[in-house]
Amino acid sequence: MLEGEFTVWAGENKVVLNGGESFLIPASFFSMILGLVGLGSCWRVAAKWHLPAWIGEAIMLLTVVIWLVLLLLYVSKWLWSGADALAEFEHPVLCCFIGLVPVSTVIVVLAIAPSDFYSFP
Protein backbone atom coordinates (compact mmCIF):
# COMPACT_ATOMS: atom_id res chain seq x y z
CA MET A 1 0.00 0.00 0.00
CA LEU A 2 1.32 3.39 -0.93
CA GLU A 3 1.59 6.00 1.76
CA GLY A 4 0.55 9.54 1.01
CA GLU A 5 -0.16 10.74 -2.47
CA PHE A 6 1.26 9.25 -5.66
CA THR A 7 1.25 11.63 -8.62
CA VAL A 8 2.15 10.96 -12.24
CA TRP A 9 2.44 14.06 -14.38
CA ALA A 10 1.27 13.66 -17.97
CA GLY A 11 1.07 16.99 -19.70
CA GLU A 12 -1.43 19.13 -17.85
CA ASN A 13 -3.31 16.06 -16.63
CA LYS A 14 -2.50 14.53 -13.28
CA VAL A 15 -3.16 11.00 -12.15
CA VAL A 16 -3.46 11.16 -8.37
CA LEU A 17 -3.89 7.99 -6.33
CA ASN A 18 -4.51 7.33 -2.62
CA GLY A 19 -6.54 10.16 -1.23
CA GLY A 20 -6.35 12.43 -4.25
CA GLU A 21 -9.42 13.90 -5.80
CA SER A 22 -8.81 13.27 -9.51
CA PHE A 23 -7.88 10.34 -11.69
CA LEU A 24 -7.58 11.81 -15.17
CA ILE A 25 -6.41 9.66 -18.05
CA PRO A 26 -4.74 11.60 -20.86
CA ALA A 27 -5.43 10.50 -24.41
CA SER A 28 -1.72 9.79 -24.88
CA PHE A 29 -2.11 6.65 -22.74
CA PHE A 30 -3.76 5.01 -25.78
CA SER A 31 -0.34 4.88 -27.46
CA MET A 32 0.39 1.86 -25.25
CA ILE A 33 -2.19 -0.07 -27.27
CA LEU A 34 -0.32 0.49 -30.53
CA GLY A 35 2.92 -0.83 -29.08
CA LEU A 36 1.29 -3.83 -27.41
CA VAL A 37 -0.60 -4.85 -30.56
CA GLY A 38 2.63 -4.55 -32.52
CA LEU A 39 4.46 -6.72 -30.01
CA GLY A 40 1.66 -9.29 -29.95
CA SER A 41 1.53 -9.36 -33.75
CA CYS A 42 5.26 -10.01 -33.92
CA TRP A 43 4.90 -12.92 -31.49
CA ARG A 44 2.03 -14.31 -33.55
CA VAL A 45 4.19 -14.26 -36.67
CA ALA A 46 7.16 -15.65 -34.73
CA ALA A 47 5.00 -18.64 -33.80
CA LYS A 48 5.36 -19.72 -37.43
CA TRP A 49 9.03 -20.41 -36.61
CA HIS A 50 8.17 -22.77 -33.74
CA LEU A 51 8.21 -20.22 -30.95
CA PRO A 52 5.48 -20.45 -28.31
CA ALA A 53 2.18 -19.16 -29.74
CA TRP A 54 0.64 -18.60 -26.31
CA ILE A 55 2.93 -15.62 -25.66
CA GLY A 56 1.46 -13.67 -28.56
CA GLU A 57 -2.07 -14.58 -27.54
CA ALA A 58 -1.40 -13.56 -23.92
CA ILE A 59 -0.03 -10.19 -25.05
CA MET A 60 -3.09 -9.66 -27.25
CA LEU A 61 -5.45 -10.56 -24.39
CA LEU A 62 -3.63 -8.17 -22.09
CA THR A 63 -3.89 -5.48 -24.78
CA VAL A 64 -7.66 -5.85 -25.08
CA VAL A 65 -8.06 -5.65 -21.29
CA ILE A 66 -5.88 -2.53 -21.07
CA TRP A 67 -7.77 -0.94 -23.97
CA LEU A 68 -11.14 -1.57 -22.30
CA VAL A 69 -9.96 -0.09 -19.01
CA LEU A 70 -8.46 2.97 -20.72
CA LEU A 71 -11.58 3.47 -22.82
CA LEU A 72 -13.87 3.32 -19.78
CA LEU A 73 -11.66 5.74 -17.85
CA TYR A 74 -11.37 8.14 -20.79
CA VAL A 75 -15.13 8.17 -21.41
CA SER A 76 -15.69 8.77 -17.70
CA LYS A 77 -13.29 11.70 -17.93
CA TRP A 78 -15.53 13.28 -20.57
CA LEU A 79 -18.68 12.53 -18.57
CA TRP A 80 -17.63 13.64 -15.07
CA SER A 81 -14.74 16.00 -15.70
CA GLY A 82 -15.74 17.69 -18.93
CA ALA A 83 -13.77 20.86 -18.22
CA ASP A 84 -10.52 18.91 -17.96
CA ALA A 85 -11.33 16.92 -21.08
CA LEU A 86 -12.16 20.08 -22.98
CA ALA A 87 -8.92 21.69 -21.79
CA GLU A 88 -7.02 18.72 -23.21
CA PHE A 89 -8.98 19.04 -26.47
CA GLU A 90 -8.11 22.74 -26.77
CA HIS A 91 -4.43 22.35 -25.80
CA PRO A 92 -2.09 22.92 -28.81
CA VAL A 93 -0.03 19.77 -28.16
CA LEU A 94 -2.26 17.42 -26.15
CA CYS A 95 -5.09 17.71 -28.67
CA CYS A 96 -3.05 15.72 -31.18
CA PHE A 97 -3.16 12.63 -28.98
CA ILE A 98 -6.96 12.46 -29.00
CA GLY A 99 -6.69 10.83 -32.43
CA LEU A 100 -5.10 7.81 -30.70
CA VAL A 101 -8.46 6.85 -29.18
CA PRO A 102 -10.16 5.83 -32.47
CA VAL A 103 -6.90 4.57 -33.97
CA SER A 104 -6.26 2.26 -31.02
CA THR A 105 -9.85 1.07 -31.26
CA VAL A 106 -9.31 0.06 -34.88
CA ILE A 107 -5.95 -1.55 -34.05
CA VAL A 108 -7.52 -3.64 -31.28
CA VAL A 109 -9.35 -5.52 -34.04
CA LEU A 110 -5.99 -7.12 -34.88
CA ALA A 111 -5.78 -8.36 -31.31
CA ILE A 112 -9.26 -9.85 -31.50
CA ALA A 113 -8.63 -11.43 -34.91
CA PRO A 114 -7.67 -15.11 -34.82
CA SER A 115 -4.01 -16.09 -35.18
CA ASP A 116 -4.49 -17.60 -38.62
CA PHE A 117 -5.29 -14.10 -39.85
CA TYR A 118 -1.50 -13.71 -40.06
CA SER A 119 -0.94 -16.68 -42.31
CA PHE A 120 1.16 -15.99 -45.35
CA PRO A 121 1.20 -18.07 -48.52
Side-chain angles (χ1 to χ4, degrees), residues 15-40:
V15 178
V16 180
L17 303 173
N18 264 358
E21 58 189 52
S22 64
F23 189 76
L24 301 176
I25 298 296
S28 61
F29 278 21
F30 283 91
S31 63
M32 290 184 284
I33 303 302
L34 279 77
L36 286 170
V37 169
L39 180 64

Side-chain angles (χ1 to χ4, degrees), residues 7-104:
T7 304
V8 176
W9 185 77
E12 290 183 355
N13 295 312
K14 283 174 37 172
V15 178
V16 180
L17 303 173
N18 264 358
E21 58 189 52
S22 64
F23 189 76
L24 301 176
I25 298 296
S28 61
F29 278 21
F30 283 91
S31 63
M32 290 184 284
I33 303 302
L34 279 77
L36 286 170
V37 169
L39 180 64
S41 296
C42 289
W43 269 102
R44 281 182 170 178
V45 172
K48 307 280 185 224
W49 291 288
H50 308 293
L51 290 172
W54 66 268
I55 296 176
E57 298 305 317
I59 292 171
M60 291 300 204
L61 178 64
L62 177 68
T63 302
V64 172
V65 170
I66 291 172
W67 172 77
L68 281 172
V69 169
L70 285 176
L71 192 62
L72 288 173
L73 290 173
Y74 194 69
V75 167
S76 68
K77 173 183 174 177
W78 277 94
L79 293 176
W80 290 291
S81 185
D84 292 324
L86 198 56
E88 180 183 32
F89 182 74
E90 293 173 347
H91 192 275
V93 175
L94 296 178
C95 70
C96 302
F97 294 109
I98 293 176
L100 287 172
V101 178
V103 168
S104 68

